[in-house]
Amino acid sequence: MRDWTGARRLAFNRELSLAPGLEFAFAAESIAEPTQWRLQHDRHTLIVHLDGAMRRLDTRIEGAGRLRLPPAPGDLWLIPAGREYRGEALGGQIAYAELSIDPARFDPCRRAAAGLGARMKQRDPFVHGLAARLAGLSGADDELAAMLREALGQALGLHLLREYGPGPPARAAPPAQLTQLQRRRIEDYIQAQLDRPIRLAALAEIAGLSVHRLLIAFRAAFGATPIQYVLGERLRRACLRLRDGDQDIATIALETGFASHSHLSVAFKKRYGVSPREYRGGAG
């Protein structure tokens, strides 16, 4: 038996911490032999079937009954904190994603009703799309991918609380906003760190906000997400360096926060319609 109680499964290919109290995992696993799973802990758990066929799946969630139907890609199982889940499966090679929410540490759970309702074989295209995108980003090691994973994880956690919880709070919190001082500090930090990794958690700490409230306040203040803003500032700095100097493009890429010459070239051409080399030739 693969027992999730007290430990993560060793079959996971990748595990990511998206935010305090928010963990994501992506796995590929063979269930050619009859396989049993058991899960019970103090976190909410979302399991999304992404790929692969099962000949048989029998699942039970404490207090929610039993279901004997194999999953299709995109089907989700939602196990509330404290409930026991048991599954018995048989099939081939499967791929799935798992999101774990700790109600005591994930900030939105402390601001809203944290209870979630159990679900088995639920269809939710939004959850499927986010889980698949997170799985695709799980192996990327650049900081823009890390920022995107954090943002997608926040969106997924908030969606689950909104759609599968008891409902929104009676009084919604006022929209988060940045003061002029907070905005200036964030701008200064980003400019100072453009050649280094920039994480949402660091920006949130500077603003004195949680990550999910920072995302709301940042878009309101800057008209863009943190990812879009940082990328735009890096490209703007690269333009200045290309126009005003003769430094090689690979060095400019690294010194403006891009992973490589090709990374800069792809982003540059997507934004401006020309390559860095063509831009430099035109500017000259």
Side-chain angles (χ1 to χ4, degrees):
M1 175 179 289
R2 289 172 173 81
D3 191 339
W4 297 338
T5 302
R8 306 292 300 202
R9 283 175 293 169
L10 297 178
F12 282 146
N13 290 342
R14 301 187 183 101
E15 297 181 32
L16 303 167
S17 178
L18 303 179
L22 195 65
E23 308 290 330
F24 179 82
F26 169 60
E29 181 176 356
S30 173
I31 55 169
E33 298 295 328
T35 302
Q36 295 182 314
W37 300 305
R38 176 176 173 268
L39 166 68
Q40 185 175 27
H41 52 53
D42 57 0
R43 301 181 297 275
H44 304 307
T45 304
L46 169 74
I47 304 167
V48 184
H49 183 73
L50 297 177
D51 196 17
M54 291 190 191
R55 295 199 297 276
R56 185 175 74 244
L57 178 64
D58 183 349
T59 52
R60 309 179 193 192
I61 299 178
E62 181 184 354
R66 178 178 185 176
L67 183 67
R68 293 178 174 174
L69 282 174
D75 286 350
L76 68 84
W77 274 252
L78 185 57
I79 304 103
R83 303 273 198 97
E84 184 183 46
Y85 164 89
R86 289 183 179 269
E88 298 180 8
L90 180 65
Q93 188 80 10
I94 61 171
Y96 54 91
E98 181 179 320
L99 185 79
S100 171
I101 302 175
D102 184 346
R105 297 181 62 228
F106 184 50
D107 186 70
C109 286
R110 300 197 299 269
R111 296 175 178 271
L116 290 176
R119 295 290 190 278
M120 292 188 284
K121 198 174 165 58
Q122 176 84 23
R123 298 293 296 174
D124 190 324
F126 183 78
V127 169
H128 181 203
L130 285 186
R133 183 69 175 125
L134 281 166
L137 288 166
S138 62
D141 58 3
D142 62 281
E143 86 278 7
L144 288 180
M147 291 175 72
L148 182 55
R149 287 193 297 260
E150 291 178 43
L152 293 177
Q154 291 281 334
L156 183 52
L158 291 171
H159 176 80
L160 294 177
L161 292 174
R162 176 80 182 188
E163 297 301 321
Y164 301 110
R171 284 183 63 186
Q177 294 183 334
L178 295 178
T179 65
Q180 287 298 320
L181 178 59
Q182 287 171 319
R183 176 172 175 148
R184 186 166 63 251
R185 285 175 175 171
I186 287 174
E187 288 174 326
D188 291 345
Y189 177 83
I190 289 174
Q191 292 303 319
Q193 299 287 323
L194 273 182
D195 61 338
R196 284 165 282 190
I198 297 174
R199 300 300 299 270
L200 288 178
L203 299 179
E205 183 177 355
I206 291 168
L209 298 171
S210 66
V211 170
H212 87 279
R213 286 179 67 80
L214 169 77
L215 291 170
I216 297 169
F218 194 101
R219 180 182 281 277
F222 292 93
T225 67
I227 299 166
Q228 293 167 338
Y229 181 84
V230 169
L231 179 59
E233 289 302 296
R234 284 180 169 156
L235 288 171
R236 186 176 67 83
R237 183 173 290 185
C239 284
L240 293 174
R241 299 283 294 277
L242 288 165
R243 187 176 65 231
D244 298 337
D246 57 1
Q247 200 170 32
D248 67 275
I249 296 174
T251 300
I252 291 174
L254 296 177
E255 292 184 354
T256 53
F258 293 92
S260 63
H261 182 164
S262 62
H263 186 199
L264 168 62
S265 295
V266 170
F268 200 97
K269 191 159 189 175
K270 185 175 181 181
R271 174 67 62 90
Y272 300 118
V274 295
S275 71
R277 191 175 303 280
E278 290 167 334
Y279 176 86
R280 169 174 273 173

